[in-house]
Amino acid sequence: MKRWNGWGSEETIYPLPESAKDYLKGYIGEGCTAQDATLESMISQVPASRLNKHENVSIDAEERLRHACGQSLPDWISLRSGRIPAFPDGVFYPIQENQIQEIFTIAEDNHFILIPYGGGTSVLRHINPPESSSPVLTIDLSKLEKMLDLDEASLLATFEAGIRGPILESNLNKHGYTLGHFPQSFEYSTLGGWVATRSSGQQSFYYGRIEDLFRGGHLITPTGEISFPPFPASAAGPDLRHLVLGSEGRFGILTRGIVAIKPLPDFEEFYGYIFKEWQGGLTAVRKLISDHVQLSMIRLSDSQETQTTLLLSGQDNLVSWASYGLEKIGYDQKRCLLLVGVTGNRKTAVKAKETATRICRKSGGLSTGKFIGRSWQKSRFLVPYLRNSLCEAGYALDTLETAVPWNKVDQLKNELISAIETASEKLDEKVLVFGHLSHVYATGASIYITFIFRRTQDPDEMLQHWQVMKNAASEVILTWGGTISHQHGVGRDHADFLSREKGDLGVDLLTEIGKSLDPKNLLNPGVLFRGDKLQQLI
Ligand SMILES: Cc1cc2nc3c(=O)[nH]c(=O)nc-3n(C[C@H](O)[C@H](O)[C@H](O)COP(=O)(O)OP(=O)(O)OC[C@H]3O[C@@H](n4cnc5c(N)ncnc54)[C@H](O)[C@@H]3O)c2cc1C
């Protein structure tokens, strides 16, 4: 059973090692274990639905509770404190594509708000029902989960858009193929959600981001339907697939996606390199890119993240022996971990690994062999479960991310860390902040920041602490010309920042597209762009 107030399956537990607890206690103070709301108490709070009974629509209180929040920190605060601002009035599970147009008509006639819902793994409040005088219906696409076509000649596969990562992969793997899209939320996130948020998988360096993989599909909007044929390339005007990529459920519902696939790799391995300090790692990363070394993943952690990751691994004895040995040879507390992946044809992959080792060595990188890479690989989808254990130990964890050209990467990462630390100092709290480069390109990189701070007894105070740190970071990102999101999207949390990135005209353009595809503003109002002009139309 999926956790209702945390990440993942109730059966999976990733315990917080005692040594990590001690470290957090020393660094940011004793965790604050607040009394969490129970499932029963929450179910009893769900108000009566404003919807009439309808086939395929559930108005069950628990079902509505489970669709009221995503996975952002404010969502967790709401769920744990038992103060959820709004619940959907019902959850509709389409089992056929043609039911979507029908539900649009019903919604239009009855002034419903509709929320397209994939796996609910949004971290930016994309799927939360707004507080509204109109009934809110969540459209959960999880029953649209079939593989519809496999075109081996073209290396294309067609899926219904509600399909979750593991089911999609197992369908392809059976035939010897893979999509290779592995966001950390892989276990629960869906094809439609990936496209609608412009998601990026951990091995995007080899497989590409979702916008590279999404070759076509079908969008149903309140004003009609659009098919996107999977042309290998086209000069017929702007590419309309970009109406769906990043549309966050505002322009319609993607019912089918056609994706580019690859044969399953015959070799895959992940390797770790330790550098004496960040700059050595950065030089190696840039060289790996400029020399076009055929890696599938390049991920450079700063020294704080390197230390924290090792502590959280729970392998205390091994970590202290390794630290002892590394310090003896001059790799002290400033050491940084670089993880690289090699994927594909065995011969090419082995050669890429050898080249990577040579390049890393030149910048002082020490090869740790397969051990660290393999343990990363083993826990790549388990790490989010740590957030449950941290929360239970009295700590909150959140992440944020951006991307900038190389000439700003270094400074922006430092500025982000110090902005969050300064914001937290003003709150008279300590925060543990660290970062890594998660996705790298020829022209720049994404910066992924994690921050951990103490929970508080008062949920309003905790939300305020989070907001102050998050705002400080968002301001720094925009000041430095970074994008407000490299992979998580806009949702409600970033909507107010969008015009600073895209300009007023850019946001007006999105609003006008929304107006033409969804004139009654039925779909996900408030997400991506505010659409005040649209509100006036209702
Ligand atoms: C632990 C964790 C790790 C994560 N790791 C990553 C990562 O590595 N990379 C990454 O990119 N993101 C990551 N995310 C963020 C999140 O998983 C992605 O944004 C993901 O793409 C959302 O997919 P979903 O199916 O859960 O969509 P939801 O959260 O259900 O919805 C997200 C948005 O997409 C819209 N939507 C969903 N399906 C459709 C559809 N069929 N048609 C139209 N609109 C639709 C919704 O209306 C909403 O606006 C992570 C999140 C968590 C909690």
Side-chain angles (χ1 to χ4, degrees):
M1 186 73 161
K2 199 171 162 189
R3 277 188 179 80
W4 70 278
N5 66 352
W7 175 254
S9 154
E10 278 169 0
E11 283 78 53
T12 308
I13 292 167
Y14 193 137
L16 186 62
E18 281 307 313
S19 51
K21 257 188 224 167
D22 292 342
Y23 180 73
L24 289 175
K25 193 171 155 190
Y27 200 100
I28 44 185
E30 182 93 55
C32 169
T33 46
Q35 183 69 43
D36 289 338
T38 62
L39 176 60
E40 294 67 35
S41 71
M42 288 313 301
I43 290 173
S44 69
Q45 272 188 39
V46 179
S49 170
R50 295 169 288 183
L51 295 173
N52 295 326
K53 276 218 159 99
H54 184 281
E55 207 189 351
N56 292 330
V57 173
S58 167
I59 55 166
D60 173 71
E62 183 170 344
E63 201 94 349
R64 291 166 55 206
L65 164 65
R66 286 178 179 272
H67 287 82
C69 293
Q71 290 290 326
S72 72
L73 189 61
D75 287 329
W76 277 45
I77 296 172
S78 299
L79 290 162
R80 300 265 171 167
S81 65
R83 299 194 332 188
I84 296 179
F87 297 86
D89 290 276
V91 185
F92 174 56
Y93 292 92
I95 46 173
Q96 280 170 357
E97 202 174 85
N98 59 12
Q99 292 174 308
I100 297 204
Q101 199 52 267
E102 271 169 44
I103 212 77
F104 284 164
T105 310
I106 296 173
E108 206 169 308
D109 294 346
N110 296 281
H111 302 284
F112 294 169
I113 286 171
L114 301 174
I115 303 193
Y117 185 103
T121 66
S122 153
V123 284
L124 294 165
R125 284 189 280 188
H126 284 95
I127 47 83
N128 305 48
E131 289 175 74
S132 161
S133 53
S134 303
V136 179
L137 181 63
T138 294
I139 305 185
D140 183 321
L141 296 152
S142 59
K143 292 199 166 34
L144 294 177
E145 56 166 0
K146 287 196 282 296
M147 179 157 101
L148 301 172
D149 187 46
L150 177 65
D151 173 353
E152 296 186 76
S154 319
L155 288 178
L156 291 170
T158 307
F159 292 96
E160 290 181 323
I163 192 163
R164 277 169 29 182
I167 307 171
L168 180 146
E169 273 299 322
S170 83
N171 270 298
L172 287 175
N173 293 174
K174 268 190 251 166
H175 297 276
Y177 296 100
T178 177
L179 176 63
H181 189 72
F182 302 114
Q184 205 182 39
S185 56
F186 175 72
E187 218 183 325
Y188 290 97
S189 54
T190 64
L191 173 60
W194 299 336
V195 173
T197 58
R198 297 187 84 102
S199 150
S200 198
Q202 290 166 336
Q203 284 158 271
S204 69
F205 199 65
Y206 176 72
Y207 290 108
R209 285 165 62 90
I210 199 67
E211 59 258 42
D212 306 311
L213 301 169
F214 175 62
R215 309 304 308 172
H218 192 75
L219 182 76
I220 305 189
T221 82
T223 44
E225 305 194 11
I226 314 179
S227 280
F228 310 101
F231 302 123
S234 164
D239 189 341
L240 293 182
R241 282 174 306 172
H242 287 268
L243 281 183
V244 199
L245 282 159
S247 60
E248 306 196 348
R250 293 243 28 195
F251 296 160
I253 293 186
L254 182 75
T255 51
R256 277 171 270 153
I258 306 172
V259 287
I261 54 171
K262 275 193 160 68
L264 276 169
D266 53 41
F267 184 86
E268 178 155 88
E269 207 52 86
F270 298 89
Y271 300 94
Y273 299 90
I274 302 273
F275 290 83
K276 285 192 174 155
E277 34 69 49
W278 173 258
Q279 284 307 329
L282 200 58
T283 307
V285 167
R286 306 251 347 238
K287 181 78 178 146
L288 291 169
I289 299 166
S290 65
D291 282 9
H292 304 285
V293 184
Q294 288 189 21
L295 301 172
S296 58
M297 187 182 84
I298 299 181
R299 181 190 158 121
L300 177 65
S301 296
D302 66 14
S303 55
Q304 186 62 69
E305 180 167 292
T306 302
Q307 190 182 355
T308 312
T309 308
L310 293 176
L311 265 167
L312 292 173
S313 73
Q315 314 236 23
D316 290 356
N317 284 341
L318 198 70
V319 170
S320 54
W321 272 108
S323 300
Y324 176 77
L326 284 168
E327 272 168 36
K328 280 250 173 236
I329 53 169
Y331 288 73
D332 62 18
Q333 295 298 314
K334 293 202 284 298
R335 60 185 173 253
C336 292
L337 174 67
L338 171 68
L339 279 174
V340 303
V342 287
T343 301
N345 166 286
R346 177 176 288 271
K347 208 164 141 205
T348 324
V350 169
K351 192 157 169 266
K353 194 260 165 175
E354 284 165 9
T355 314
T357 303
R358 203 169 51 247
I359 289 175
C360 288
R361 260 198 212 123
K362 272 204 178 139
S363 298
L366 198 67
S367 170
T368 66
K370 294 175 188 164
F371 178 73
I372 293 188
R374 285 212 173 143
S375 50
W376 174 84
Q377 190 180 15
K378 221 167 93 190
S379 62
R380 63 193 291 189
F381 305 125
L382 274 178
V383 171
Y385 285 87
L386 250 178
R387 211 172 152 205
N388 299 325
S389 320
L390 276 167
C391 190
E392 272 125 42
Y395 299 100
L397 177 149
D398 198 19
T399 61
L400 52 92
E401 34 80 55
T402 179
V404 272
W406 280 114
N407 66 348
K408 293 179 182 164
V409 167
D410 225 8
Q411 290 106 315
L412 177 53
K413 189 180 94 53
N414 292 338
E415 293 286 334
L416 274 170
I417 291 177
S418 79
I420 296 171
E421 284 174 347
T422 308
S424 146
E425 263 164 40
K426 287 192 189 140
L427 298 165
D428 218 9
E429 281 288 334
K430 281 278 284 175
V431 63
L432 175 62
V433 199
F434 45 85
H436 66 262
L437 306 187
S438 61
H439 299 266
V440 293
Y441 306 89
T443 56
S446 72
I447 303 167
Y448 192 97
I449 300 287
T450 301
F451 56 110
I452 306 178
F453 57 103
R454 292 185 325 139
R455 291 177 71 181
T456 59
Q457 293 288 346
D458 176 1
D460 289 331
E461 191 187 12
M462 190 167 154
L463 193 60
Q464 188 231 350
H465 286 183
W466 169 80
Q467 190 75 66
V468 168
M469 288 185 266
K470 171 82 178 167
N471 280 351
S474 300
E475 280 299 330
V476 166
I477 287 174
L478 291 170
T479 307
W480 278 78
T483 172
I484 197 64
S485 174
H486 165 267
Q487 64 196 58
H488 290 160
V490 178
R492 289 196 165 74
D493 291 344
H494 291 157
D496 288 337
F497 293 97
L498 200 65
S499 62
R500 284 173 60 189
E501 180 169 329
K502 300 218 182 288
D504 287 340
L505 188 56
V507 174
D508 280 354
L509 191 59
L510 291 176
T511 309
E512 290 303 315
I513 296 172
K515 205 197 283 185
S516 96
L517 297 176
D518 178 20
K520 294 274 169 64
N521 203 19
L522 306 175
L523 287 161
N524 235 355
V527 166
L528 183 60
F529 51 88
R530 292 290 182 216
D532 293 330
K533 288 182 198 163
L534 288 178
Q535 298 287 4
Q536 294 157 14
L537 289 170
I538 312 182

